[in-house]
Amino acid sequence: MSTQPRTVVITGGSKGLGAGIVQSFLDSGDRVATCSRSATPLTKEWESDPALADRFLFIEADISDREQSTAFVKAVIDRWGAVDVLVNNAGVARDGILALFSDEDSDTVIDLNLKATIHLTRQVVRSMLTKRSGRIVNISSITGLTGYRGLTVYGATKAALDGFTRGLAREVGSRKITVNSIASGYLKTEMSHGLDGGQLDQIVRRTPAGRLGEPDDIARAVQFLVDDRNDWLTGQVLVIDGGLTC
Amino acid sequence: MTDFQGSILSIVTTLLERSDKGDLTVALDTAIHGDGLGLDSLETAELSAMLEDEFGTDPFGAGLMPETVGEIVDFYTEGEASVPA
């Protein structure tokens, strides 16, 4: 458990990897705010848990809508004063080869994975600048490093996110704000449901660790990156993929 | 000195102290950048965020680029922003 509860904002925390990260920070005694387009049984469970009454905030918000994104960040700051940790997890994947990909799907993926992340981070980093401290983790993907057939646009947004990480780390490093990416491998979450059984079997065969990842594999790495003591680790892309890309 | 002037001078002074520039004298006609306070872009962003925290809006966020401390005060006193009374 942390010595002092931190205020942690995790986008897209209602299910899958995001929910795993939310649970990790609730377990470490922190205050957690998350958002997604709609509530899930899990967010309702957290909201109704008396033990989390002062430590969990869920707001229905589509952060690719800038007004909703702004309202979400404002609600967190109004409630808890400032943001200590931001985990940019919200993302969407649309699979299909580029030659058959629709402009609408491209817009959906870029709007959420990249533009919404930049907009929300800009608001949070202003809060972090006023107190001159903060931790930002962007959930990226190995598809942004290696490419993956059928995930061209998704991979492009994740590669861009890694570039965003490095640029922002340089901008705010002098203010004790660290910015890092986690390039996640393939997890057992809904995000990998676009891959068929054959593709998943192939991924497992090629993964030295011999399995798909679990949300907690990533959550532990997030906790490491946001540890107060890790103030000399910034601008990096940490690959957590069971060794698939080694 | 008005309340706005006092609050804004206090915010600027706090920022300068945090930036190891506490020995600078701040007045309404002091330039924010260059030979005045010499704020760089990141310090300007901090000032913008601190003003927004205090007043709910700030001239930089509104797309303006005030050149002096007095011009920041003017932004609030000239009714260009919805500032709490």
Side-chain angles (χ1 to χ4, degrees):
Chain A
M1 179 173 288
S2 310
T3 52
Q4 292 287 330
R6 300 164 291 190
T7 296
V8 183
V9 170
I10 300 160
T11 62
S14 66
K15 60 186 178 183
L17 173 58
I21 298 170
V22 168
Q23 186 64 63
S24 172
F25 281 97
L26 291 174
D27 291 346
S28 58
D30 296 300
R31 295 180 290 262
V32 179
T34 191
C35 63
S36 68
R37 286 179 299 173
S38 55
T40 61
L42 195 49
T43 60
K44 289 175 181 168
E45 181 182 318
W46 286 324
E47 284 183 306
S48 62
D49 184 344
L52 302 178
D54 299 322
R55 293 204 293 120
F56 180 71
L57 174 65
F58 173 75
I59 292 179
E60 279 191 3
D62 175 359
I63 62 166
S64 59
D65 178 317
R66 287 181 177 155
E67 285 187 11
Q68 293 184 43
S69 167
T70 300
F72 169 60
V73 174
K74 185 174 184 307
V76 177
I77 291 174
D78 285 349
R79 178 151 174 182
W80 289 322
V83 178
D84 299 306
V85 175
L86 168 63
V87 183
N88 284 312
N89 165 76
V92 62
R94 293 279 190 273
D95 65 304
I97 64 168
L98 188 65
L100 297 174
F101 214 65
S102 72
D103 287 336
E104 289 74 19
D105 278 347
S106 289
D107 287 343
T108 298
V109 174
I110 293 169
D111 284 351
L112 179 59
N113 296 10
L114 192 56
K115 292 166 70 176
T117 298
I118 291 170
H119 176 71
L120 191 138
T121 303
R122 185 175 67 81
Q123 300 169 80
V124 171
V125 88
R126 285 172 64 84
S127 165
M128 290 177 171
L129 280 173
T130 63
K131 60 188 187 67
R132 290 198 172 188
S133 68
R135 295 279 185 271
I136 299 172
V137 177
N138 296 317
I139 301 299
S140 176
S141 166
I142 58 170
T143 63
L145 301 173
T146 66
Y148 195 89
R149 183 184 183 278
L151 290 174
T152 309
V153 178
Y154 178 79
T157 62
K158 295 301 187 179
L161 208 51
D162 293 343
F164 178 65
T165 291
R166 288 185 283 268
L168 187 59
R170 288 185 180 275
E171 277 189 13
V172 299
S174 65
R175 300 305 191 261
K176 302 187 188 308
I177 301 168
T178 69
V179 190
N180 291 287
S181 282
I182 290 177
S184 170
Y186 298 95
L187 306 180
K188 282 190 228 170
T189 66
E190 291 178 11
M191 196 69 93
S192 60
H193 287 180
L195 304 173
D196 62 36
Q199 288 172 306
L200 291 174
D201 287 345
Q202 184 185 57
I203 289 166
V204 170
R205 280 199 307 274
R206 292 178 177 177
T207 299
R211 64 173 175 85
L212 296 175
E214 301 282 354
D216 207 40
D217 292 316
I218 305 302
R220 282 191 298 274
V222 175
Q223 290 277 8
F224 168 74
L225 290 174
V226 307
D227 189 301
D228 278 349
R229 293 166 294 181
N230 283 331
D231 59 357
W232 213 50
L233 173 48
T234 191
Q236 303 304 311
V237 179
L238 180 58
V239 179
I240 310 286
D241 68 349
L244 179 62
T245 59
C246 71
Chain B
M1 182 179 293
T2 67
D3 289 346
F4 271 129
Q5 288 174 353
S7 297
I8 290 164
L9 287 174
S10 173
I11 288 169
V12 173
T13 301
T14 299
L15 174 65
L16 292 173
E17 286 170 352
R18 288 178 9 170
S19 300
D20 294 328
K21 296 178 180 177
D23 54 332
L24 291 175
T25 302
V26 185
L28 292 178
D29 61 353
T30 305
I32 296 169
H33 303 106
D35 292 337
L37 303 180
L39 299 191
D40 63 20
S41 56
L42 195 53
E43 289 164 338
T44 304
E46 285 184 88
L47 176 59
S48 166
M50 292 166 79
L51 290 167
E52 185 185 16
D53 270 4
E54 179 70 21
F55 301 116
T57 184
D58 76 281
F60 304 96
L64 304 177
M65 193 54 72
E67 293 182 0
T68 66
V69 175
E71 288 180 18
I72 296 174
V73 175
D74 290 345
F75 172 78
Y76 294 104
T77 56
E78 289 177 358
E80 293 181 38
S82 55
V83 179

